[in-house]
Amino acid sequence: MSNDKEIPDREDVHNKVIDLMYSTHILNNSHRGDVAEALVMMALGDEWNFVGLGWHPWDLQYGSGPDRIRIQVKNIALQQIWGETKSPTLVFGWKSNPPSYFERDNPGVEIEDEGYFCDLFVFCLHLVSDEDNADQVDPQQWSFLVIPTEDLRSKRKSMVLSKALDKWTPIKWPELAEKVEVVANRL
């Protein structure tokens, strides 16, 4: 059997990955995280740097040094590829130490001895429960919670979504940049 096909170029591979991973209405967890980060980056604009490749402790950063603002982007979806989430929970991920690789990968960058390793969380919420109408790539179906870490009890690792919705008001995508700016200015 001969293979007379042309070798695909970078754009061909890129487009194929997008088609395979992001063309369904319900995304797997890792791909949904990519969508959530892209939505937040698109809302905040080019002044924010994406630093979250790999296992970096935060995803987006504005500025540098002690005046920087760090955002960890998280997401929750009611619909999963295996079915509906029964008890949606925000996971904050308090850590008792910085990651062991942080200094190696980020020489000279300051980080706390313990904590959330960010200044605020943006939780992207896809709360469409109807599987037939859910589209996790549609920005209009998402809402967002902007939660400064100073609002959290020390060492809190998680909170059920219903309690979080009692404490913080979800916003839609057009309001996200302004809300982040208001919260960041209080830090």
Side-chain angles (χ1 to χ4, degrees):
M1 179 187 278
S2 80
N3 187 355
D4 295 334
K5 292 182 182 179
E6 253 184 69
I7 296 174
D9 63 19
R10 185 180 194 286
E11 186 175 334
D12 294 332
V13 174
H14 182 259
N15 291 336
K16 182 55 106 177
V17 169
I18 290 170
D19 287 345
L20 291 172
M21 304 304 167
Y22 300 97
S23 64
T24 62
H25 293 275
I26 307 296
L27 303 176
N28 81 29
N29 287 347
S30 61
H31 299 126
R32 193 176 60 249
D34 294 339
V35 169
E37 289 173 353
L39 287 170
V40 175
M41 289 184 329
M42 293 168 78
L44 297 184
D46 294 337
E47 302 85 32
W48 287 83
N49 294 309
F50 178 68
V51 297
L53 284 175
W55 292 98
H56 200 275
W58 58 92
D59 299 305
L60 303 174
Q61 181 171 310
Y62 180 85
S64 61
D67 296 329
R68 70 185 176 199
I69 299 168
R70 301 164 297 165
I71 295 177
Q72 179 66 245
V73 178
K74 303 270 193 170
N75 76 88
I76 292 176
L78 292 184
Q79 287 297 322
Q80 306 285 332
I81 57 175
W82 60 84
E84 191 168 334
T85 301
K86 300 299 181 209
S87 180
T89 303
L90 280 65
V91 177
F92 300 109
W94 177 275
K95 304 274 191 291
S96 57
N97 312 314
S100 60
Y101 53 82
F102 186 81
E103 179 60 33
R104 179 198 70 210
D105 295 349
N106 303 278
V109 174
E110 293 180 36
I111 190 168
E112 300 88 337
D113 292 333
E114 65 177 348
Y116 298 111
F117 307 126
C118 64
D119 302 299
L120 56 102
F121 290 97
V122 174
F123 276 90
C124 306
L125 311 174
H126 194 274
L127 304 179
V128 178
S129 60
D130 177 11
E131 184 179 356
D132 293 331
N133 291 315
D135 184 353
Q136 295 173 352
V137 184
D138 181 356
Q140 295 186 51
Q141 289 192 4
W142 289 87
S143 57
F144 304 86
L145 293 177
V146 178
I147 303 173
T149 56
E150 65 186 20
D151 283 4
L152 299 172
R153 186 180 73 234
S154 180
K155 301 183 181 184
R156 170 166 238 144
K157 293 192 180 209
S158 64
M159 178 185 291
V160 294
L161 178 61
S162 59
K163 286 188 180 186
L165 293 175
D166 288 340
K167 188 168 174 118
W168 299 285
T169 303
I171 57 172
K172 295 306 270 180
W173 189 89
E175 305 164 83
L176 184 55
E178 182 178 348
K179 180 69 173 181
V180 166
E181 183 175 349
V182 167
V183 172
N185 285 334
R186 288 192 340 228
L187 300 174

